[in-house]
Structures are given as structure tokens and as C-alpha cells.
Amino acid sequence: MKIAIHYKGLEIDDDGNVGGHDAGDTLVRRLIGMFPEVQLIGPRNQTFPDFELTTLEAIDGENTIVVNMDVIESVRIWRVLRKSTEHPKIMNFMWRDARRYETEVETAALSLSCALFPTFANSERMSRAIKETVHRWVVQPLAERAKISGANLGIRLEHVQPRDEPPEPVVLYPAIYMKARKRPDLFFEVVSRVAKRTPIMVEARLAESDLVMEWAMKLGRQRWAKVRPLVPRRGDYWKALAHTTAFLATSEDESYGLEYVEALVAGAIGIFPDKPWAHGILPPAYPYFYKTAAEAEQLLYRAVTDTAACRKELEDCVEGSFIHWLRDHHDDSNFEAAIEAHVKRWFGYSPNDGKL
């Protein structure tokens, strides 16, 4: 039995490495490491050291479980596999925020897909949201049979590097995109006010497509800001996080919030909007939530001018160590164990014994 991963954003270089820096690329790399004999579904058939690239039409549907990261396309995938096998095996992997589907047609298609095929989400909060959406949009007989679960994605803790405090406070734009739902306008408004009150350096590392967007160019013109491409290596990314004092999260919604958790574990102080997605990844007593731009400004100002006191407040918001709380609640080994358990529960397949 094999696992095949379907992801439309797949990028593979000449050496057989999965490229890209966004969450989808990271997840593909993690799934490759979890399962033996992994196939990636792409435009051609080719063998690489860590995986096999294959077209959807070439998949052995009888002996392959397709983990589909483009959930809205599961019915199409099923139709292709159905030509060669009576019972295609498809598992939805819901890692994107469901709110990205803005039309009724897309929302209905997403809901139907999650009702028809076992669905695993990248956070417990997303799992609950999918269940609610399915019961709201899908007829009762299908909704009642839906198999939906999830676990917090977590991070690879071995990547964390020792703190390297900067001589001047560094404030991070904690995303690689400047799409509207990330609220780059609010980020710019708040950091501009803080920069007028105290010296800071704002850093943004963006995907190439977003370097020329309006807010990226506006931010890059400020003397107190640096807007650069993504760092080429994962080690460089974690080194930069260890040098970060604070970050300001402004996103309207997130399916999980991987970038924010990574920055917190690296020792940065996070200022978060008072929204369900943020509460879902933080301790109940976390002290740095804002409802207005003025509140965000004041919290960020404190984070960069009274950093030691803020770090003590983070320690005080949990029993024991704040970093230990994050590690306990966002350890990627918990996520990997959960997804492996559900693949076995839903399909009878375990990567340890290979049986179906």
C-alpha cells in the first residue's frame, strides 16, 4: 500500500527537492517523511530519491491512498480513479482556511467533499469548523456519516536556535503574503505609529509574488523597515526568528497559525488580534490580545521598550514555562501520530506494517 499526495502548488527542482516556502510545501515535505514509498501527483512520471512523481491517471487506485490537499477537487480525483478501481481511497487534508472559499458554489463543493471523504484538519479548531459547515450545507444522511477529525499541526522543535538579541528591537511581519485577509494595512498603521515613538526595525520576508504588492512597496520605502525575499534555507529562517524581538499578527483568520507558533517558540513576543484562531493556539491567560489599532500600538510599544517585563508576563500566564507550554501543545510528533492513527482507522493502513 502506498500514499500519494495531491497538491496543485507542487514545485520540484532538478535534484528532486520539494521547493517553495509556504505552508503547503512544508506539509508536503513532512508527509514525505512520515510515509514510506510516497508518490507525489504531478504532470509526469519520474523517480526521485525520496519519492515517485506520477500522474493521477497512473495511480494504482486499488493499492494507493490519495491524500488530497486541494479538498474541493476530491470528487474529480475520485472520478479519475474510479475508471481503474471500484473503491478509490481518498483522504482530504484540510490545511487552508475554509473562508478562502467565498462563493456559495465553492463552499457547497467543499462541504460535500468533506462529507463524502474522510477529512483530517491541521488544527482542532479547523476540525470543529468543518463539522459545523458540513452539517449546515449537506443533507442529513451524508452529514451524519461524515468522518472528520484533526490535530494541531505543531512545529519541528529541533529547528529552534538560541536567542540572539538584536541591538535595536526587531518587529516581524509574521507572514509571507500580503493578501487582504492578512490585513497588511493594519500592520503598517500600527508599526508606523510605534516607529514614531521609539527606534525599531521592521522586517518582512515575502514570497516573490508579493514583493511588488502595494503594501510591501509602501513598507519597503520606510527608513525603519526592510522588505526582502524569503531566506533560501530553513536554518536561515530560524536564525532570523531567534533575532526577532516581537511580531504583530493582523490576520482576519487562520486555519492554524504555523508562522506565529514558530516565532513564539523562538522567543519573540506576539501581539495578536482578539479572534478565535489566535485564542486557539495560545494559553487561556495569554496577555497580549488587542481589539483596536490603538490597543495593538500600545501592546507592541511595550513589547519593544519593556521586553524583559513582557517576557516575565508570558511566563506568568502558564504554570511552569511559557516555552514548555508551547512545546507541549505544538509538538509536531503529536500531529504525526494523530494523522497516522486516522489513516489506519479509516483505511486500515499503517506505515509501520504496510497493511490494508
Side-chain angles (χ1 to χ4, degrees):
M1 183 58 56
K2 293 183 178 180
I3 296 289
I5 303 167
H6 180 271
Y7 174 50
K8 284 198 302 185
L10 188 64
E11 297 179 12
I12 301 174
D13 63 25
D14 294 337
D15 296 324
N17 300 310
V18 176
H21 296 270
D22 68 11
D25 303 306
T26 300
L27 286 171
V28 170
R29 289 189 286 266
R30 283 179 61 173
L31 290 170
I32 290 173
M34 289 172 57
F35 298 100
E37 298 187 75
V38 170
Q39 295 177 308
L40 302 186
I41 298 174
R44 63 186 185 279
N45 298 315
Q46 189 172 355
T47 300
F48 293 102
D50 295 330
F51 58 86
E52 178 185 353
L53 184 67
T54 183
T55 63
L56 180 60
E57 290 75 12
I59 290 288
D60 176 8
E62 189 66 28
N63 297 295
T64 305
I65 302 164
V66 175
V67 177
N68 179 27
M69 296 174 61
D70 302 292
V71 175
I72 206 168
E73 296 195 8
S74 287
V75 172
R76 179 186 69 83
I77 294 172
W78 182 91
R79 291 171 65 88
V80 173
L81 297 179
R82 185 66 171 77
K83 296 175 182 178
S84 59
T85 185
E86 186 175 358
H87 300 291
K89 305 170 187 66
I90 299 171
M91 185 182 86
N92 290 327
F93 185 13
M94 191 69 185
W95 61 280
R96 287 188 173 111
D97 175 20
R99 292 176 59 179
R100 71 190 296 269
Y101 299 108
E102 298 177 350
T103 68
E104 287 189 353
V105 171
E106 290 174 316
T107 303
L110 175 71
S111 303
L112 181 60
S113 176
C114 293
L116 289 171
F117 305 102
T119 300
F120 195 87
N122 71 338
S123 71
E124 295 171 358
R125 188 184 70 86
M126 177 59 66
S127 173
R128 292 191 297 269
I130 294 170
K131 290 176 183 176
E132 293 171 0
T133 301
V134 167
H135 281 274
R136 188 167 59 250
W137 282 83
V138 178
V139 294
Q140 185 176 353
L142 282 180
E144 290 179 346
R145 295 202 306 267
K147 299 175 181 177
I148 300 169
S149 190
N152 287 339
L153 184 60
I155 65 170
R156 293 198 175 278
L157 300 174
E158 65 269 20
H159 291 160
V160 180
Q161 298 190 12
R163 286 293 303 169
D164 177 24
E165 300 295 345
E168 180 178 79
V170 173
V171 176
L172 178 68
Y173 175 74
I176 66 174
Y177 299 112
M178 286 202 163
K179 296 178 172 60
R181 72 175 181 85
K182 296 287 188 180
R183 292 299 309 275
D185 56 328
L186 176 58
F187 179 88
F188 184 87
E189 176 187 351
V190 173
V191 296
S192 295
R193 293 178 183 175
V194 173
K196 291 178 180 178
R197 298 173 62 183
T198 188
I200 60 172
M201 176 53 63
V202 175
E203 294 188 355
R205 304 177 191 91
L206 304 177
E208 184 176 353
S209 60
D210 284 43
L211 289 170
V212 295
M213 294 189 70
E214 176 187 358
W215 287 106
M217 297 179 70
K218 188 172 183 178
L219 183 63
R221 288 195 293 267
Q222 310 306 311
R223 58 175 178 76
W224 39 261
K226 295 179 181 178
V227 177
R228 294 176 286 193
L230 294 171
V231 293
R233 291 179 294 273
R234 197 67 175 165
D236 295 331
Y237 168 76
W238 281 99
K239 182 178 180 180
L241 285 184
H243 195 67
T244 300
T245 308
F247 64 89
L248 173 64
T250 52
S251 181
E252 289 290 339
D253 205 355
E254 296 286 353
S255 63
Y256 172 53
L258 178 65
E259 298 95 337
Y260 312 103
V261 176
E262 289 176 334
L264 288 170
V265 171
I269 299 167
I271 311 302
F272 287 89
D274 189 7
K275 295 183 179 296
W277 72 263
H279 286 279
I281 62 175
L282 296 165
Y286 190 82
Y288 305 128
F289 289 108
Y290 65 86
K291 288 185 172 66
T292 66
E295 291 176 358
E297 176 191 348
Q298 191 55 35
L299 289 173
L300 183 59
Y301 179 78
R302 275 205 65 218
V304 297
T305 59
D306 198 6
T307 307
C310 288
R311 290 210 171 109
K312 184 177 185 306
E313 290 176 5
L314 290 179
E315 294 297 310
D316 293 341
C317 81
V318 297
E319 291 186 11
S321 165
F322 177 65
I323 297 299
H324 288 166
W325 187 96
L326 290 170
R327 287 171 176 261
D328 289 342
H329 288 77
H330 298 285
D331 185 341
D332 68 336
S333 63
N334 298 331
F335 170 82
E336 293 181 2
I339 196 169
E340 288 178 8
H342 281 81
V343 169
K344 185 171 184 177
R345 180 183 305 170
W346 291 332
F347 301 98
Y349 168 73
S350 170
N352 297 317
D353 56 32
K355 294 178 181 179
L356 183 74

